[in-house]
Amino acid sequence: MQSMTGYGRAFVEIDGRQMAVEVKSVNHRFLDIAFRMPRNLMFLEDAARKAVGAKLSRGHVDVFVTYRNLRTDARTVQVDEALFGAYADALRSLAELSGSGLRDDRTLMGIARMPDVMTVTEADEDQDAVRALMLAALNEALEGLVAMRGREGDTIRADLSGRVDAIERMTAAVEARYPETVEEYRQRLKSAVAELVDSGVDENRLLMEVAIMADRSAIAEEIVRLNSHVQQLRALLDATEPVGRRVDFIVQELNREVNTISSKSQDIPITRLTVDMKAEIEKLREQVQNIE
């Protein structure tokens, strides 16, 4: 079982190129991936999205990428000769206008500081090399994130398992109590029917109404379904694939059956049990939102 909350980070350097990748995830109904990376690396997004999708099935995932190219061929410096010539002409004109009071003190560093005379240009990246570097860093970061999600998933699984045990015990208590309620209900109906028959009420119509009321108060089917849902939950808690959506559905079905029992039964002990079961189911529902 995997939680949907986790974090992983990796730093990889290959052949003078450095890549740092951070990955964090939180709860989400589906797999939603957001990337934060330099604009010149946007060509990596498709490969990165596939890599994340291969490891995760649900959660909002933020991927942060930083990159440095330290190779000697990463940048080139270019001189704008035409612009320098224009600067030189302007300086000569300035010297002529000022007379002989100013001397020409140009130096190489002074020329280099002239705006736009020298420009640094980033070389075109080797996309295959950068893609391989990114995937290495991303997969390492994802391994750390998955490991964290797994550790949290173990904690969630233990909590869910304990609550399922509690629901199973309460279901067994309802099942044990139910025959007694049926007998008590039968005795009350028997006395009521006897009194009404003695008072002249049509016996066939009365028996039909009694049968309808008895059917409406029967909870045997709900108990069977509750036990079935508990067994399905146990199987899903031991599954190796993502089960969040299926567990969420079964928890909703558990709640439906318990509500039906609560509305049908007039027995106070069973009503108390259903209140406690609803509390456990609500905690289950909250916790299920955290699993993949």
Side-chain angles (χ1 to χ4, degrees), residues 75-141:
R75 298 166 187 82
T76 60
V77 179
Q78 295 179 326
V79 176
D80 190 330
E81 296 180 7
L83 181 60
F84 170 67
Y87 274 123
D89 291 341
L91 288 172
R92 280 193 295 271
S93 297
L94 187 61
E96 292 173 359
L97 290 172
S98 63
S100 59
L102 295 176
R103 63 186 178 86
D104 188 346
D105 62 350
R106 282 177 290 177
T107 64
L108 285 177
M109 288 305 298
I111 294 170
R113 293 191 186 98
M114 291 178 177
D116 300 326
V117 168
M118 299 178 66
T119 57
V120 179
T121 304
E122 298 286 340
D124 291 338
E125 288 286 0
D126 182 339
Q127 292 195 357
D128 291 338
V130 176
R131 185 180 292 106
L133 178 68
M134 183 276 298
L135 289 175
L138 177 58
N139 284 323
E140 184 178 334

Side-chain angles (χ1 to χ4, degrees), residues 6-62:
Y7 174 82
R9 185 182 188 279
F11 175 83
V12 176
E13 181 173 356
I14 300 176
D15 194 22
R17 297 181 176 92
Q18 297 177 345
M19 185 82 73
V21 176
E22 293 182 76
V23 186
K24 68 176 183 178
S25 65
V26 293
N27 298 355
H28 198 276
R29 291 185 61 193
F30 308 103
L31 181 60
D32 178 50
I33 310 171
F35 293 96
R36 307 288 187 275
M37 63 175 68
R39 184 178 297 275
N40 65 325
L41 298 185
M42 293 306 294
F43 69 93
L44 299 173
E45 183 173 332
D46 186 56
R49 191 175 296 278
K50 290 178 181 177
V52 174
K55 297 281 188 181
L56 309 175
S57 63
R58 291 180 72 195
H60 173 79
V61 183
D62 286 307

